[in-house]
Amino acid sequence: MNKPSKSRNVQDIYPLSHTQEGILFHTLYEAQPGAYLDQLIFTIEGPLDAQAFRRAWQAVVDHHPVLRTIFLWENRNKPLQVVRRSAPVE
């Protein structure tokens, strides 16, 4: 991971809230990982325009900063959440 201060793709940097710190702590130290994983699965029926689908998801990611946010905790005194200016959908 790049250090936030050296990246041109950084929009904002925030400390974690107390709740986020607790979730990170339990995620890193629990014997069974995934306690905070929430996943939805959908089945798409019929033809799919993959490019239109990718563009639609890219628009969602572009609009919502939380979907461009990463968490940095390794080799740091305090964990940070870093909002990227852009996050390409693959």
Side-chain angles (χ1 to χ4, degrees):
M1 293 183 200
N2 293 334
K3 292 183 179 179
S5 61
K6 293 184 179 182
S7 176
R8 293 184 180 146
N9 193 24
V10 173
Q11 179 175 327
D12 285 307
I13 301 174
Y14 302 102
L16 272 59
S17 69
H18 295 298
T19 301
Q20 290 171 317
E21 284 185 355
I23 291 171
L24 177 62
F25 173 83
H26 288 288
T27 298
L28 294 175
Y29 293 102
E30 288 294 320
Q32 296 181 354
Y36 295 97
L37 176 65
D38 190 10
Q39 182 175 355
L40 300 173
I41 298 172
F42 297 92
T43 301
I44 299 173
E45 297 181 7
L48 174 68
D49 182 339
Q51 288 299 325
F53 189 69
R54 189 201 63 75
R55 285 192 308 271
W57 270 112
Q58 187 66 62
V60 170
V61 169
D62 292 345
H63 185 74
H64 297 285
V66 69
L67 298 176
R68 300 188 313 274
T69 300
I70 61 172
F71 294 86
L72 304 177
W73 68 88
E74 296 176 309
N75 302 316
R76 302 185 170 282
N77 292 332
K78 292 289 268 180
L80 296 172
Q81 53 183 316
V82 178
V83 181
R84 296 176 174 178
R85 291 186 193 284
S86 64
V89 172
E90 296 183 16

